[in-house]
Amino acid sequence: MSDIKLLENQVVQKIAAGEVVIAPYSVLKELIENSIDAGSKKINVVIKGGGKKYIHVEDDGEGIDERQVELAFTKNATSKIENLDSLSNISTLGFRGEALFSISVVSNVEIITKTDNMQTAIKAKIKQGKVTERGSIPSNRGTKITVADLFYNVPARYRNMKSERKEALSCIDLVSKLAISNPGISFSMISDDKNLFVTSGDGNIRNTITSILGKEYTKQMIDVEYEDYPVTVSGVTLSANYIDKQIEESILIINGRYVKCPAISRGISQVYKDEYGKFSKKISYVLYITLPLNMTDVNVHPSKTVISLRSETLIVMLICEAIKEALYSSINLAEVPLSKKDLYVGEDEDVTDDGNQVVIEQVSSYVSNEYDSSFDKENNISYDINGEYVKESALKDDTVIIDDNDELYKEYVKRRKEISANDDKAEEKDEFKKNIIDTSIFDKIIMMKFCGMVFSAYAMFEMGEELYIIDTHAAHERVLYDEFLKKYKDNKLNMQPLLNAIILDVSVLEKDLCVNNIDIFKKLGFEIDEFSKNSIVIRQIPSDFDLSSAKDIVLSILDALKKNIFDVETKRDELLIKCACHSAVRGKDFVDYEGVIEILKRLKNTTNPFTCPHSRPTVSKVYKKYFLKMFKRV
Amino acid sequence: MSGTLTPMMKQYLKIHETVPDTILFYRLGDFYEMFFDDAKTASKVLDLTLTGKNCGLSQRAPMCGVPYHSANNYISKLIEKGFKVAICEQVGDVKESKGIVDREITRIISPGTVMEGKALSEGENNYLMGIYYNKVDFGVCYTDISTGEFNVCNISGVNRINELETLISKVMPSQIIVNTILFEDKIMRERISNLLNFEVEPYPSGYFALKNAKALIKEQFDVYSLNSLGIEEYEAVIKISGCILRYLNETQKKSLMQITKLNLDTKNDVMHLDNNTKRNLELLYNLKTKEKKDSLLSVLDQTVTAMGARKLKKWILEPLTNKDEIVKRQDAIEALLSDIMSLEDIITFLKDVKDMERIMARLSLDIGNARDLVSLKNSLYNIPKIKISMSYVMEKSELLKSIVLDIDELGDIYDLIETSIDEDCPAVLKNGGLIKKGYDPKIDELKKLRDNSNEILLQLENREREKTGIKTLKIKYNKVFGYFFDVTNSFKDKVPDYFIRKQTLANSERFFTDELKDLEINLLTVDDKLKEKEFEEYERIKSEVLDNVRRVQSCADLLSLLDCLCSLAIVSRINSYVRPEIAENGVIDIKDGRYPVIEKITGSDKFIYNDTYIDDEDNRMIIITGANMAGKSTYIRQVALIVIMAQIGSFVPASKAKIPICDRVFTRVGASDDLASGQSTFMVEMSEVTNILKYATKNSLVILDEVGRGTSTFDGLSIAHAVIEYLLSDIGAKTLFATHYHELTALEEEKKGVKNYSIRLENKMGKIIFLRKVERGGIDKSYGIEVAKLAGLPDKVIRRSEEILSVLEKNEMEYKMKVDNIQTSIPLSFEKEEEDVVSQNVKNILMDITTSPIEEMTPVEAMNYLNEIKQRLKAEDF
């Protein structure tokens, strides 16, 4: 065993520095927090090589007086606190007195700083906490710090850093969060000479979020504004219309600091679950919460992102109230479009633009629009129908609920809470995930009692307290797609020549498109040819497809080619096959039991039996309880 | 000359006689051909092969040609080189004419009327200008037929020539037509030609006949009396407008439906920017390469439509002088910035708006096609969405509200085109494929007929297949052979006799039969009829759209306005500009001001901010001294740019700003030898100063950089001094005067209204640091030698300069002391009488004369004495 020795000072410093300076993003964090504490209105960030090569932060804050520059970089020196008591009333972001020193130990630091009192700025180079070069330079008020060659003298740490791209992503994530946390400060960020974003610093939360997360993100959010001692909450949270369609991003800012608090995240998630039932994507929100300073402790972790709260339960509850209130008031907001003509709504236009429509649909999914009491009697429904129509007249007319029936909605919401209160929480969480792995459900379904087909598309199977609904079109599409794709990949596509060739009228452009892509069609199993200036003739189609849908299929492939959304050869073929299969099942109805069972058997063996190629679900489950609730039996 | 010309050549020459000074594009089949001299010229300019054609004479006629469908680029190149092009088309029906087809000139294209190719750039207007001069007034008309703009202006008064030049340099037309009076005035002609690089074109007096002019104007603008246009009493304007309209009618040969409004320029509500200011401040082009890069326009232009780009240029050239109008624009920008999401949405929707103005012009001039209609339709698609996004932000802005309320969605035009024109229509008009199914029953009928023919063809195919037993028999089609039977080689022997062989390929052979050919002819007849019908329908729809040209133009105008506002909003956001307050008290108060163009080049962090305070009393003359390269020029130009930006309605690069309304901005900056016009640097400088002193008012902003530079020090200093005093007392304009003459700093003590500022250098241990900070107080060093050292002047030269400098400075001190002692102080104001400074030498001579004993001199002695006096006096400078 070797002797125990005291470590050299230099080594001690490097090790300690390593605690604070973990990676480029932690350097950025320290520097930007200093800028914020200096009262800056504008902070510009530039990084190169993910921050491994070059980090530059400049601000227009107070600046550091020329006599204090040395001291700033000394260990344990800070302007932010004076004694232990101050720690419990921390209002600044930085306070440990370690950052600048640590950074200078493991990199080459250059600083240019000027206060209002100084004529010119002072420019200095720092190494190991000591100023090595000093000069004057003209500059505006504020501080500019450049950190180059991070960890050049600590090979272990240097190697430990991730790739430039990954480090860049961490840096961008950090600066984004800091920019969002400080909407009153204008931030700009450049990485490898590319302008990433600029925020205006006008204090407007939506503008700040739009600048960083994009307008598509902001569009899906509703405003939150709530105050109840000791908590004030403002910001945005996910609108119910976008549940499971959202761009996922959730940010919590407490007292101006970006933090992570699992308890709050869980609480918010629960609110949505209570209101709207299950969902698979994470709830998005950006919330600015202020609490009295003595109720938080950020000293928990050196990076200061984990926060511990006093009276955590109360705080979480109040935040959840804030969210709930926001959700309620967003439904009552009627938005009046300006032009009577409205939007020219195309086929693929999302109708949810009109405010609250989806919420109504959600409501409807729990309540049948046309209540039909005449179920297939011979299948022995195990609960009573006393033939009493539910007085859901208000809910049948979709538009009424916004304007008049606030009360009803509130009552309904209460009911839904009771419904979900009885559900097994654990099952809810991983329902979908389980289903993806476990295809045995299909074997089970095949064994279940067949209740019939509705709308010529949905097959119902019942067992015990559960009702399974199969979208036969989606299922058929998946089956077709998988089989076709396999044959296509194995080059085993069979074509059937048509007895009567089909002529398709197309525009001149379309005809040219076909002629130029005859090979693509051939690969997919279609033999087409130019028939005249504006028509093509179809002579052969894949044996998998139906004659009657041949025209539609070719047209949809043509349409996809026109849109030209392909970037990779293979994706193109897959996309075209998707189109094809989609068209193939349109209008093809399964009406009998055998047909359905056949499809289910084939479905089970596909690559992803739970969704059609366009990611729509093939099977859905409804509990008996929902029916009981619907008829007010529970 | 032996042999006679062919009929076609005769026709060619006859037609060419009507358009003698043009290059005639003569349509022959799929080509435009040029002959004789035209061919030689074109072949050189366009880099085409020169061939020959038999014309009936002993020698072949030189000939060169271009394909019809790619003619636009060639036309545009010729126009750029200054040629005029006449287009001659075949107007008769080829099939029905006996002998040669009738031909007619359909269009004469000149630089002011070009519509094609690179000669017409998207974000810029292309103006044809006409000037009528009757020795008293200038009647000016300038029009852009590609957008339909038609502006007129009457310029009279003592300053009319200067104003005319300003107008011409603002408009930058590509062609100018004048009357003979103007053309014969050589000086005027030269002055105009100097501004542009082409000659003006004279037109005979017939073109300016008053009665005809009135009739043409009334017809074009659909008015009963010229009073409603506001031009009744401006005879010169009427004459020139009539001339331009006549010229356009003659050359375009089409009705000009896109010219719907006559705009009378009143010049009263915009800031006056003279040519030098536009150039020196690099508003639209940079000084070095004359490109848009690094100009104010390049900073402010984030428009997404061509129409918006053109309008923004106009905004920059015409800053507003009406406070309400400026505030309206500012309110709109602020409203747009309050909701970035909606702003970005609006911009996304605007991106789909095409150049509606030019589309209408193309359709009107008959050079558009169905694709133009589709573009127009697509441009209209997003208007409702734009209105909705605007509804979220328009609350606080009158201007935005008025756009939303006034904008015509043109839903009827959208519907018309949407239901009738096929999305995938080709650019060519006569080949069908234009009209959508379901729009016109007759067209659909013909299509069905054609499809039936297809069915019949298939039936034929089946029949023949059975008859011949060729299992792989197929009917195929291509452009060269039309329809044919395709038989693979394996069935070669089964081919019957009535199959006529057409083509042999590697794996198959192609045949046709009489039956097949008959069917084909039927099909073709139907096809031709269909093409004709579709074209007719297209023409009908086109004219219905054209009937609404005013509505489309209004809509386009509002959309371009929105585009400009969004552009200014985005720019303000990216560059952190602030909303300036429009001051009523004439004070310019800028905090942390920056130069908008330079800060983008160096990076905003490296640009040092500076404050500015200029008012109408104690701070109206700012004298800035300092070293070379210290940043004086940049600073004073920065102030001018910020004022102009504020009056455009834009936000400005500062942390806070109060800007008054200036009626004019003048700049005298930079040293440019105008050697071409025979003027030296100093002459140019003095001309510019003259211009300023003549036209500046007390509401103007004057920027002077190193006035007095091009001549000797004392001359320059004197002139500068005098100019300052004149501006101070006689004109009263706010002035920024950057200079090396530190003597002028004495003026702050002497005169009310003068304040000294300076930009210092720091010289630390031989190293020069440019502080770039403008501070109160004058400076008495220029640091010229230090800066020269930076430039790399050899050490020996530097050291010697320093020696000489110290001597001169010492001398100056001594001289100053001497002068003080003699009490011949330099007169510092115009009020004092001008004393004759009589030198000591002359005084001595006079003394001599009065005391010399002339009575005692001999005649010869007297002559010699006189000569001596003469010599002594020669030394004096009278």
Side-chain angles (χ1 to χ4, degrees), chain B residues 788-802:
Chain B
K789 196 161 150 198
L790 269 181
L793 224 47
D795 278 342
K796 191 162 171 204
V797 177
I798 297 292
R799 270 180 276 126
R800 183 67 182 132
S801 323
E802 282 167 347

mmCIF file with all atom_site columns, all heavy atoms in Angstrom, chain B residues 788-802:
data_model
loop_
_atom_site.group_PDB
_atom_site.id
_atom_site.type_symbol
_atom_site.label_atom_id
_atom_site.label_alt_id
_atom_site.label_comp_id
_atom_site.label_asym_id
_atom_site.label_entity_id
_atom_site.label_seq_id
_atom_site.pdbx_PDB_ins_code
_atom_site.Cartn_x
_atom_site.Cartn_y
_atom_site.Cartn_z
_atom_site.occupancy
_atom_site.B_iso_or_equiv
_atom_site.pdbx_formal_charge
_atom_site.auth_seq_id
_atom_site.auth_comp_id
_atom_site.auth_asym_id
_atom_site.auth_atom_id
_atom_site.pdbx_PDB_model_num
ATOM 1   N N   . ALA B 1 788 ? -1.398 57.969 -39.386 1.00 0.00 ? 788 ALA B N   1
ATOM 2   C CA  . ALA B 1 788 ? -0.553 57.646 -40.540 1.00 0.00 ? 788 ALA B CA  1
ATOM 3   C C   . ALA B 1 788 ? 0.371  56.493 -40.191 1.00 0.00 ? 788 ALA B C   1
ATOM 4   O O   . ALA B 1 788 ? 0.651  55.623 -41.016 1.00 0.00 ? 788 ALA B O   1
ATOM 5   C CB  . ALA B 1 788 ? 0.251  58.866 -40.955 1.00 0.00 ? 788 ALA B CB  1
ATOM 6   N N   . LYS B 1 789 ? 0.832  56.509 -38.933 1.00 0.00 ? 789 LYS B N   1
ATOM 7   C CA  . LYS B 1 789 ? 1.715  55.421 -38.496 1.00 0.00 ? 789 LYS B CA  1
ATOM 8   C C   . LYS B 1 789 ? 0.985  54.098 -38.593 1.00 0.00 ? 789 LYS B C   1
ATOM 9   O O   . LYS B 1 789 ? 1.526  53.098 -39.063 1.00 0.00 ? 789 LYS B O   1
ATOM 10  C CB  . LYS B 1 789 ? 2.122  55.691 -37.036 1.00 0.00 ? 789 LYS B CB  1
ATOM 11  C CG  . LYS B 1 789 ? 3.301  54.898 -36.556 1.00 0.00 ? 789 LYS B CG  1
ATOM 12  C CD  . LYS B 1 789 ? 3.853  55.598 -35.324 1.00 0.00 ? 789 LYS B CD  1
ATOM 13  C CE  . LYS B 1 789 ? 4.488  54.565 -34.393 1.00 0.00 ? 789 LYS B CE  1
ATOM 14  N NZ  . LYS B 1 789 ? 4.646  55.078 -33.048 1.00 0.00 ? 789 LYS B NZ  1
ATOM 15  N N   . LEU B 1 790 ? -0.267 54.101 -38.189 1.00 0.00 ? 790 LEU B N   1
ATOM 16  C CA  . LEU B 1 790 ? -1.081 52.891 -38.266 1.00 0.00 ? 790 LEU B CA  1
ATOM 17  C C   . LEU B 1 790 ? -1.166 52.394 -39.700 1.00 0.00 ? 790 LEU B C   1
ATOM 18  O O   . LEU B 1 790 ? -1.220 51.207 -39.960 1.00 0.00 ? 790 LEU B O   1
ATOM 19  C CB  . LEU B 1 790 ? -2.507 53.181 -37.785 1.00 0.00 ? 790 LEU B CB  1
ATOM 20  C CG  . LEU B 1 790 ? -2.819 52.985 -36.308 1.00 0.00 ? 790 LEU B CG  1
ATOM 21  C CD1 . LEU B 1 790 ? -4.263 53.310 -36.070 1.00 0.00 ? 790 LEU B CD1 1
ATOM 22  C CD2 . LEU B 1 790 ? -2.510 51.562 -35.885 1.00 0.00 ? 790 LEU B CD2 1
ATOM 23  N N   . ALA B 1 791 ? -1.185 53.361 -40.632 1.00 0.00 ? 791 ALA B N   1
ATOM 24  C CA  . ALA B 1 791 ? -1.311 52.973 -42.036 1.00 0.00 ? 791 ALA B CA  1
ATOM 25  C C   . ALA B 1 791 ? -0.028 52.347 -42.540 1.00 0.00 ? 791 ALA B C   1
ATOM 26  O O   . ALA B 1 791 ? 0.003  51.742 -43.590 1.00 0.00 ? 791 ALA B O   1
ATOM 27  C CB  . ALA B 1 791 ? -1.670 54.187 -42.874 1.00 0.00 ? 791 ALA B CB  1
ATOM 28  N N   . GLY B 1 792 ? 1.051  52.546 -41.790 1.00 0.00 ? 792 GLY B N   1
ATOM 29  C CA  . GLY B 1 792 ? 2.292  51.889 -42.182 1.00 0.00 ? 792 GLY B CA  1
ATOM 30  C C   . GLY B 1 792 ? 3.328  52.798 -42.793 1.00 0.00 ? 792 GLY B C   1
ATOM 31  O O   . GLY B 1 792 ? 4.298  52.337 -43.383 1.00 0.00 ? 792 GLY B O   1
ATOM 32  N N   . LEU B 1 793 ? 3.113  54.122 -42.634 1.00 0.00 ? 793 LEU B N   1
ATOM 33  C CA  . LEU B 1 793 ? 4.090  55.052 -43.184 1.00 0.00 ? 793 LEU B CA  1
ATOM 34  C C   . LEU B 1 793 ? 5.455  54.756 -42.527 1.00 0.00 ? 793 LEU B C   1
ATOM 35  O O   . LEU B 1 793 ? 5.521  54.482 -41.325 1.00 0.00 ? 793 LEU B O   1
ATOM 36  C CB  . LEU B 1 793 ? 3.663  56.489 -42.838 1.00 0.00 ? 793 LEU B CB  1
ATOM 37  C CG  . LEU B 1 793 ? 3.748  57.546 -43.922 1.00 0.00 ? 793 LEU B CG  1
ATOM 38  C CD1 . LEU B 1 793 ? 3.149  57.049 -45.224 1.00 0.00 ? 793 LEU B CD1 1
ATOM 39  C CD2 . LEU B 1 793 ? 3.027  58.799 -43.476 1.00 0.00 ? 793 LEU B CD2 1
ATOM 40  N N   . PRO B 1 794 ? 6.538  54.803 -43.289 1.00 0.00 ? 794 PRO B N   1
ATOM 41  C CA  . PRO B 1 794 ? 7.854  54.405 -42.739 1.00 0.00 ? 794 PRO B CA  1
ATOM 42  C C   . PRO B 1 794 ? 8.236  55.248 -41.515 1.00 0.00 ? 794 PRO B C   1
ATOM 43  O O   . PRO B 1 794 ? 7.899  56.425 -41.434 1.00 0.00 ? 794 PRO B O   1
ATOM 44  C CB  . PRO B 1 794 ? 8.830  54.669 -43.882 1.00 0.00 ? 794 PRO B CB  1
ATOM 45  C CG  . PRO B 1 794 ? 8.002  54.817 -45.099 1.00 0.00 ? 794 PRO B CG  1
ATOM 46  C CD  . PRO B 1 794 ? 6.621  55.172 -44.694 1.00 0.00 ? 794 PRO B CD  1
ATOM 47  N N   . ASP B 1 795 ? 8.940  54.640 -40.615 1.00 0.00 ? 795 ASP B N   1
ATOM 48  C CA  . ASP B 1 795 ? 9.338  55.317 -39.367 1.00 0.00 ? 795 ASP B CA  1
ATOM 49  C C   . ASP B 1 795 ? 10.040 56.632 -39.610 1.00 0.00 ? 795 ASP B C   1
ATOM 50  O O   . ASP B 1 795 ? 9.798  57.630 -38.930 1.00 0.00 ? 795 ASP B O   1
ATOM 51  C CB  . ASP B 1 795 ? 10.264 54.403 -38.560 1.00 0.00 ? 795 ASP B CB  1
ATOM 52  C CG  . ASP B 1 795 ? 9.457  53.399 -37.757 1.00 0.00 ? 795 ASP B CG  1
ATOM 53  O OD1 . ASP B 1 795 ? 8.251  53.651 -37.575 1.00 0.00 ? 795 ASP B OD1 1
ATOM 54  O OD2 . ASP B 1 795 ? 10.015 52.362 -37.337 1.00 0.00 ? 795 ASP B OD2 1
ATOM 55  N N   . LYS B 1 796 ? 10.922 56.623 -40.619 1.00 0.00 ? 796 LYS B N   1
ATOM 56  C CA  . LYS B 1 796 ? 11.696 57.835 -40.897 1.00 0.00 ? 796 LYS B CA  1
ATOM 57  C C   . LYS B 1 796 ? 10.738 58.978 -41.196 1.00 0.00 ? 796 LYS B C   1
ATOM 58  O O   . LYS B 1 796 ? 10.902 60.087 -40.678 1.00 0.00 ? 796 LYS B O   1
ATOM 59  C CB  . LYS B 1 796 ? 12.611 57.555 -42.104 1.00 0.00 ? 796 LYS B CB  1
ATOM 60  C CG  . LYS B 1 796 ? 13.645 58.602 -42.339 1.00 0.00 ? 796 LYS B CG  1
ATOM 61  C CD  . LYS B 1 796 ? 14.781 58.080 -43.231 1.00 0.00 ? 796 LYS B CD  1
ATOM 62  C CE  . LYS B 1 796 ? 15.676 59.253 -43.618 1.00 0.00 ? 796 LYS B CE  1
ATOM 63  N NZ  . LYS B 1 796 ? 16.390 59.002 -44.847 1.00 0.00 ? 796 LYS B NZ  1
ATOM 64  N N   . VAL B 1 797 ? 9.749  58.677 -42.057 1.00 0.00 ? 797 VAL B N   1
ATOM 65  C CA  . VAL B 1 797 ? 8.779  59.713 -42.433 1.00 0.00 ? 797 VAL B CA  1
ATOM 66  C C   . VAL B 1 797 ? 8.014  60.178 -41.202 1.00 0.00 ? 797 VAL B C   1
ATOM 67  O O   . VAL B 1 797 ? 7.767  61.365 -41.007 1.00 0.00 ? 797 VAL B O   1
ATOM 68  C CB  . VAL B 1 797 ? 7.820  59.151 -43.505 1.00 0.00 ? 797 VAL B CB  1
ATOM 69  C CG1 . VAL B 1 797 ? 6.771  60.168 -43.864 1.00 0.00 ? 797 VAL B CG1 1
ATOM 70  C CG2 . VAL B 1 797 ? 8.600  58.724 -44.740 1.00 0.00 ? 797 VAL B CG2 1
ATOM 71  N N   . ILE B 1 798 ? 7.628  59.226 -40.369 1.00 0.00 ? 798 ILE B N   1
ATOM 72  C CA  . ILE B 1 798 ? 6.869  59.569 -39.156 1.00 0.00 ? 798 ILE B CA  1
ATOM 73  C C   . ILE B 1 798 ? 7.677  60.493 -38.258 1.00 0.00 ? 798 ILE B C   1
ATOM 74  O O   . ILE B 1 798 ? 7.207  61.543 -37.798 1.00 0.00 ? 798 ILE B O   1
ATOM 75  C CB  . ILE B 1 798 ? 6.476  58.302 -38.393 1.00 0.00 ? 798 ILE B CB  1
ATOM 76  C CG1 . ILE B 1 798 ? 5.549  57.409 -39.234 1.00 0.00 ? 798 ILE B CG1 1
ATOM 77  C CG2 . ILE B 1 798 ? 5.813  58.655 -37.078 1.00 0.00 ? 798 ILE B CG2 1
ATOM 78  C CD1 . ILE B 1 798 ? 4.186  57.986 -39.467 1.00 0.00 ? 798 ILE B CD1 1
ATOM 79  N N   . ARG B 1 799 ? 8.900  60.106 -38.032 1.00 0.00 ? 799 ARG B N   1
ATOM 80  C CA  . ARG B 1 799 ? 9.708  60.908 -37.115 1.00 0.00 ? 799 ARG B CA  1
ATOM 81  C C   . ARG B 1 799 ? 9.894  62.309 -37.649 1.00 0.00 ? 799 ARG B C   1
ATOM 82  O O   . ARG B 1 799 ? 9.778  63.297 -36.918 1.00 0.00 ? 799 ARG B O   1
ATOM 83  C CB  . ARG B 1 799 ? 11.062 60.240 -36.874 1.00 0.00 ? 799 ARG B CB  1
ATOM 84  C CG  . ARG B 1 799 ? 11.013 59.286 -35.680 1.00 0.00 ? 799 ARG B CG  1
ATOM 85  C CD  . ARG B 1 799 ? 12.315 58.598 -35.402 1.00 0.00 ? 799 ARG B CD  1
ATOM 86  N NE  . ARG B 1 799 ? 12.478 57.406 -36.242 1.00 0.00 ? 799 ARG B NE  1
ATOM 87  C CZ  . ARG B 1 799 ? 13.538 57.198 -37.006 1.00 0.00 ? 799 ARG B CZ  1
ATOM 88  N NH1 . ARG B 1 799 ? 14.519 58.083 -37.070 1.00 0.00 ? 799 ARG B NH1 1
ATOM 89  N NH2 . ARG B 1 799 ? 13.625 56.101 -37.743 1.00 0.00 ? 799 ARG B NH2 1
ATOM 90  N N   . ARG B 1 800 ? 10.156 62.392 -38.934 1.00 0.00 ? 800 ARG B N   1
ATOM 91  C CA  . ARG B 1 800 ? 10.377 63.707 -39.546 1.00 0.00 ? 800 ARG B CA  1
ATOM 92  C C   . ARG B 1 800 ? 9.129  64.546 -39.442 1.00 0.00 ? 800 ARG B C   1
ATOM 93  O O   . ARG B 1 800 ? 9.179  65.724 -39.120 1.00 0.00 ? 800 ARG B O   1
ATOM 94  C CB  . ARG B 1 800 ? 10.794 63.493 -41.025 1.00 0.00 ? 800 ARG B CB  1
ATOM 95  C CG  . ARG B 1 800 ? 11.118 64.760 -41.775 1.00 0.00 ? 800 ARG B CG  1
ATOM 96  C CD  . ARG B 1 800 ? 12.375 65.424 -41.251 1.00 0.00 ? 800 ARG B CD  1
ATOM 97  N NE  . ARG B 1 800 ? 12.634 66.674 -41.962 1.00 0.00 ? 800 ARG B NE  1
ATOM 98  C CZ  . ARG B 1 800 ? 12.924 67.818 -41.366 1.00 0.00 ? 800 ARG B CZ  1
ATOM 99  N NH1 . ARG B 1 800 ? 13.005 67.881 -40.058 1.00 0.00 ? 800 ARG B NH1 1
ATOM 100 N NH2 . ARG B 1 800 ? 13.139 68.905 -42.078 1.00 0.00 ? 800 ARG B NH2 1
ATOM 101 N N   . SER B 1 801 ? 7.941  63.894 -39.706 1.00 0.00 ? 801 SER B N   1
ATOM 102 C CA  . SER B 1 801 ? 6.666  64.625 -39.601 1.00 0.00 ? 801 SER B CA  1
ATOM 103 C C   . SER B 1 801 ? 6.515  65.196 -38.201 1.00 0.00 ? 801 SER B C   1
ATOM 104 O O   . SER B 1 801 ? 6.090  66.339 -38.016 1.00 0.00 ? 801 SER B O   1
ATOM 105 C CB  . SER B 1 801 ? 5.482  63.722 -39.893 1.00 0.00 ? 801 SER B CB  1
ATOM 106 O OG  . SER B 1 801 ? 5.768  62.817 -40.901 1.00 0.00 ? 801 SER B OG  1
ATOM 107 N N   . GLU B 1 802 ? 6.851  64.363 -37.230 1.00 0.00 ? 802 GLU B N   1
ATOM 108 C CA  . GLU B 1 802 ? 6.690  64.825 -35.849 1.00 0.00 ? 802 GLU B CA  1
ATOM 109 C C   . GLU B 1 802 ? 7.558  66.044 -35.573 1.00 0.00 ? 802 GLU B C   1
ATOM 110 O O   . GLU B 1 802 ? 7.114  67.008 -34.939 1.00 0.00 ? 802 GLU B O   1
ATOM 111 C CB  . GLU B 1 802 ? 7.043  63.689 -34.871 1.00 0.00 ? 802 GLU B CB  1
ATOM 112 C CG  . GLU B 1 802 ? 5.918  62.674 -34.755 1.00 0.00 ? 802 GLU B CG  1
ATOM 113 C CD  . GLU B 1 802 ? 6.330  61.385 -34.051 1.00 0.00 ? 802 GLU B CD  1
ATOM 114 O OE1 . GLU B 1 802 ? 7.543  61.156 -33.855 1.00 0.00 ? 802 GLU B OE1 1
ATOM 115 O OE2 . GLU B 1 802 ? 5.430  60.614 -33.705 1.00 0.00 ? 802 GLU B OE2 1
#
